[in-house]
Amino acid sequence: MSDTVKKASNVTSVVPEVRKDFSLIAQWIKEGARVLDLGCGDGGLLAYLQQSKNVCGYGVEISIDNVKSCIARGVNVLQRDLEGGLADFSDAHFDCVILSQTLQAMHHLEALVEGMLRVGREAIVTFPNFGHWSHRWQIALQGKMPVSSSLPYQWYNTPNIHLCTVKDFDRFLAERRCEVLERVVMAHGKEIMLLPNVFGQLALYRFRYR
Amino acid sequence: MPEADDFGAERQKLNDRQESRESCSVGIVEPKRVVFSDSLPLASGVSLRGFELAYETYGTLDADKSNAVLICHALNASHHVAGYYANAPDRIGWWDNMIGPGKSLDTERFFVVSVNNLGSCFGSSGPVSINPDTGKPWGADFPLVTVEDWVDAQARLADHLGIERWAAVMGGSLGGMQALCWSIRYPGRLRHALVIASTAKLSAENIAFNEVARQAILTDPDFFDGHYARKDTKPKRGLRIARMLGHITYLSDEQMEKRFGRQLREGLQFSFAPEFQIESYLRYQGEKFAGYFDANTYLRITKALDYFDPASAFDGDLTRALAAACCRFLVISFTTDWRFSPARSREIVRALIDNGHQVSYAEIAAPHGHDAFLLDDPEYHAVVRVYYDRMFAHEIASGETHE
């Protein structure tokens, strides 16, 4: 494993400032954990987790360009379409399965969340909070679909098909016998304590089956 | 002596991307030979009293011998992987689009070794080589060999070259099986395995195709129980049919349709002469193959394919079979490959993940079927390139080879 640390350490020089959500997720991950990152993008989060937590991580990614980026930075990556489900992964194999800002773009998200809790003991899901006041403002008073830094798309070109609020996701988990272990709602890199469903832009959940 | 396989060049034409020989080629190469006098015990229980291997090398082995890459060949290829021969400039290596100066596997960085497998017909000990006991060609008496036997022989070559540990062992199809076998059989002797368009075992359908090919050869009246050389003949009909059948499994339905469709050569003749272009193409391929390949070799290599099943020693549990491996893996499959489909590669990946091994997997969207691993699909080559680039930057250029 020593080479994992060595490889990951190179990432810090490339990304001097760690994204706030990455460092928060890292706090929730145990040292040396087996981690699966669904929709891992260019492998930034996994590279950070390899460096900071010495995880044994795998990313899942559909885009060949992202696959190449992951390989280039020494992150294990498996090219496949998440919509196909997680049947290729064994039960309870991972300590933690992460779905970072991907949930809102999934067609079969119920099955995916179920799959995450089958292959992992715990799940971490992050998503843009549709309940943010600026989104409410744009719909209620401006009468238009919200566009913001967390939802930068127009209604006609957005990949986001399952947008939800913090309140929606709380209920979604409660209905599925899930126990929320941690919930943090952030805006501009800071945790929002007051009215998180109004002032929060990004929601992060750690949960498992009750 | 049969001619070396030239299907690398042939596939390039199929891809309509003929690469010029002069640009970024390793240039003129020469095959080498090494004779091993120690006996080699084979999986069948038979031992070879000494054997010979034909191989080629490209690039330079660095001082600490950390940059050596072994290339394993598939069914009908040879050790002639890159470059060309001075006396035959058209005989371009079968993976020349992948290997050379500045290519995905860069011979300016890596020392590339390619070996002709035991039982093949391009210079290594096999049915067409001389049996030292009789002074005559082995013919049908050459024993059946397995992927494990090949890997054992390749390990002897590594010893001979002073390579304790390969930077990588890489192969496509049957070559990928050898890379996988290396990771299990000699886990401490490689840092990376690149397993491309391969499988951990043949399916019943795969074996069925092989059996039809073998029957074509075995029932050829010119086969003479494998002793056709004594009769100064060759079971060419059988080889032709075997090759035609094999060729069908290398191509995707989509690609065959695109290239040939129902095109006719000269309208319907109401005869059994080749009328459709695909018939003519297959006959041409079969004829060419029968001209240079050896039937006993074909029989043996298809058997090696059929027998390969590292999980069989572990009640069919591939995860346990791969438990001993400790190298990193790059597994690549191609979406239209139905011979060794992506599902077969995903089985390997799953077993590696279940062991907590380091693995990346690319499933390349390519139209060419199994053949894609020989072609120069840009995404495929880019994935291999970034993998080797990283390997070089972190393990070789830095002088650090992780333990």
Side-chain angles (χ1 to χ4, degrees):
Chain A
M1 280 295 119
S2 63
D3 61 302
T4 312
V5 179
K6 190 176 72 198
K7 278 165 203 287
S9 67
N10 294 299
V11 172
T12 39
S13 57
V14 182
V15 189
E17 244 178 281
V18 176
R19 277 170 49 178
K20 205 72 195 166
D21 53 333
F22 283 13
S23 61
L24 202 97
I25 290 171
Q27 286 174 29
W28 292 349
I29 304 270
K30 288 191 197 74
E31 186 75 20
R34 286 186 168 196
V35 175
L36 183 64
D37 184 4
L38 304 175
C40 66
D42 64 5
L45 174 60
L46 274 176
Y48 176 66
L49 293 175
Q50 282 176 194
Q51 178 223 349
S52 59
K53 291 289 182 164
N54 197 23
V55 301
C56 172
Y58 304 89
V60 176
E61 181 50 54
I62 191 169
S63 138
I64 187 74
D65 287 331
N66 280 332
V67 166
K68 284 184 281 187
S69 299
C70 289
I71 291 174
R73 70 202 308 172
V75 164
N76 293 320
V77 62
L78 315 167
Q79 189 181 19
R80 75 187 68 190
D81 184 358
L82 285 179
E83 299 287 10
L86 303 179
D88 284 342
F89 298 100
S90 301
D91 291 359
H93 180 74
F94 295 97
D95 298 305
C96 187
V97 183
I98 302 171
L99 186 67
S100 173
Q101 304 204 45
T102 303
L103 174 94
Q104 72 278 3
M106 299 300 304
H107 279 94
H108 305 107
L109 77 88
E110 283 188 270
L112 185 64
V113 171
E114 269 172 37
M116 290 171 73
L117 291 171
R118 177 182 66 78
V119 305
R121 286 173 231 287
E122 289 179 10
I124 292 174
V125 168
T126 79
F127 59 87
N129 176 31
F130 197 69
H132 188 258
W133 67 266
S134 77
H135 302 151
R136 298 177 190 228
W137 175 272
Q138 289 178 61
I139 290 182
L141 292 165
Q142 297 184 310
K144 66 185 200 64
M145 286 298 283
V147 177
S148 68
S149 57
S150 61
L151 296 174
Y153 301 97
Q154 296 293 336
W155 63 271
Y156 49 82
N157 64 10
T158 182
N160 300 325
I161 51 169
H162 281 134
L163 290 162
C164 68
T165 68
V166 169
K167 201 169 174 179
D168 289 327
F169 200 66
D170 281 341
R171 198 165 68 185
F172 177 84
L173 293 182
E175 286 169 1
R176 279 157 189 81
R177 300 180 300 101
C178 289
E179 171 189 11
V180 176
L181 301 166
E182 315 258 6
R183 190 192 82 174
V184 172
V185 183
M186 301 169 79
H188 308 294
K190 291 201 177 64
E191 185 173 352
I192 302 295
M193 310 302 281
L194 177 72
L195 297 175
N197 196 28
V198 175
F199 294 111
Q201 288 178 322
L202 180 68
L204 300 91
Y205 285 73
R206 181 164 72 96
F207 57 93
R208 65 181 176 207
Y209 278 132
R210 217 175 271 138
Chain B
M1 184 65 60
E3 291 211 8
D5 189 10
D6 62 347
F7 77 108
E10 165 199 320
R11 305 291 164 77
Q12 279 190 343
K13 271 181 238 153
L14 186 147
N15 200 29
D16 295 330
R17 281 177 212 240
Q18 189 73 40
E19 203 163 0
S20 94
R21 191 173 63 238
E22 288 74 23
S23 72
C24 57
S25 162
V26 295
I28 295 170
V29 297
E30 273 186 43
K32 301 169 187 174
R33 279 157 195 267
V34 56
V35 177
F36 298 92
S37 49
D38 290 350
S39 70
L40 183 75
L42 303 175
S44 62
V46 177
S47 264
L48 275 182
R49 281 201 310 117
F51 62 98
E52 186 173 349
L53 291 180
Y55 67 101
E56 290 180 8
T57 68
Y58 323 115
T60 310
L61 187 60
D62 61 17
D64 59 359
K65 300 184 175 180
S66 67
N67 68 333
V69 175
L70 176 68
I71 302 297
C72 304
H73 70 71
L75 208 167
N76 40 16
S78 71
H79 51 292
H80 183 39
V81 171
Y84 56 94
Y85 294 137
N87 61 357
D90 291 334
R91 293 241 306 262
I92 301 169
W94 59 267
W95 224 350
D96 192 74
N97 59 18
M98 178 72 85
I99 298 160
K103 292 186 180 174
S104 295
L105 174 49
D106 188 346
T107 49
E108 304 204 313
R109 294 172 161 185
F110 291 94
F111 177 66
V112 177
V113 179
S114 58
V115 58
N116 186 218
N117 284 324
L118 278 182
S120 182
C121 52
F122 298 113
S124 293
S125 296
V128 298
S129 69
I130 302 298
N131 179 349
D133 289 339
T134 63
K136 289 178 183 159
W138 280 92
D141 297 330
F142 195 82
L144 262 65
V145 285
T146 64
V147 170
E148 286 76 12
D149 296 334
W150 288 339
V151 167
D152 287 350
Q154 291 161 4
R156 300 272 180 96
L157 178 64
D159 296 340
H160 168 74
L161 296 171
I163 296 161
E164 201 175 305
R165 204 176 187 200
W166 299 103
V169 178
M170 172 179 179
S173 190
L174 178 56
M177 293 177 178
Q178 292 159 62
L180 197 63
C181 182
W182 263 96
S183 76
I184 297 168
R185 206 165 170 84
Y186 297 99
R189 297 198 69 175
L190 70 167
R191 297 200 304 272
H192 296 266
L194 286 82
V195 180
I196 302 169
S198 193
T199 176
K201 62 168 191 264
L202 292 204
S203 67
E205 184 186 68
N206 293 146
I207 296 171
F209 275 113
N210 281 347
E211 174 58 5
V212 176
R214 281 191 295 265
Q215 284 300 319
I217 292 168
L218 293 166
T219 58
D220 186 316
D222 286 334
F223 183 63
F224 295 109
D225 292 327
H227 293 294
Y228 43 86
R230 292 178 193 166
K231 307 270 184 182
D232 209 20
T233 182
K234 276 181 89 174
K236 279 195 163 191
R237 276 161 290 193
L239 265 175
R240 274 199 294 266
I241 295 166
R243 177 59 165 174
M244 289 166 80
L245 183 73
H247 215 90
I248 297 167
T249 69
Y250 304 148
L251 302 178
S252 68
D253 186 23
E254 176 189 342
Q255 185 65 12
M256 223 191 252
E257 197 58 35
K258 191 175 158 203
R259 247 197 105 188
F260 304 102
R262 293 181 54 81
Q263 279 176 59
L264 294 165
R265 300 174 73 212
E266 301 164 350
L268 294 180
Q269 308 291 313
F270 294 91
S271 81
F272 298 110
E275 298 177 307
F276 291 93
Q277 287 291 5
I278 181 64
E279 295 177 299
S280 158
Y281 174 78
L282 287 177
R283 288 192 192 198
Y284 168 76
Q285 293 299 339
E287 188 62 36
K288 197 168 72 162
F289 186 72
Y292 71 78
F293 210 79
D294 173 59
N296 282 318
T297 294
Y298 201 90
L299 294 174
R300 275 155 187 74
I301 296 187
T302 57
K303 272 291 175 190
L305 272 161
D306 292 0
Y307 288 170
F308 184 65
D309 182 9
S312 65
F314 298 89
D315 304 322
D317 186 343
L318 185 62
T319 301
R320 280 167 56 208
L322 282 164
C326 59
C327 66
R328 289 168 173 264
F329 290 83
L330 176 63
V331 178
I332 298 176
S333 73
F334 301 93
T335 50
T336 54
D337 183 351
W338 58 276
R339 183 180 171 90
F340 299 151
S341 70
R344 301 283 82 77
S345 286
R346 289 200 294 261
E347 286 166 1
I348 298 171
V349 171
R350 180 178 186 150
L352 292 170
I353 293 173
D354 283 346
N355 276 301
H357 294 330
Q358 307 290 326
V359 53
S360 282
Y361 170 61
E363 197 169 294
I364 304 292
H368 302 100
H370 189 59
D371 246 357
F373 88 88
L374 293 163
L375 303 175
D376 55 359
D377 180 278
E379 296 296 5
Y380 160 45
H381 278 207
V383 166
V384 174
R385 180 186 292 274
V386 293
Y387 196 83
Y388 276 113
D389 280 355
R390 174 155 181 106
M391 191 192 303
F392 182 76
H394 287 254
E395 298 169 24
I396 295 166
S398 64
E400 299 171 50
T401 49
H402 65 250
E403 293 303 322

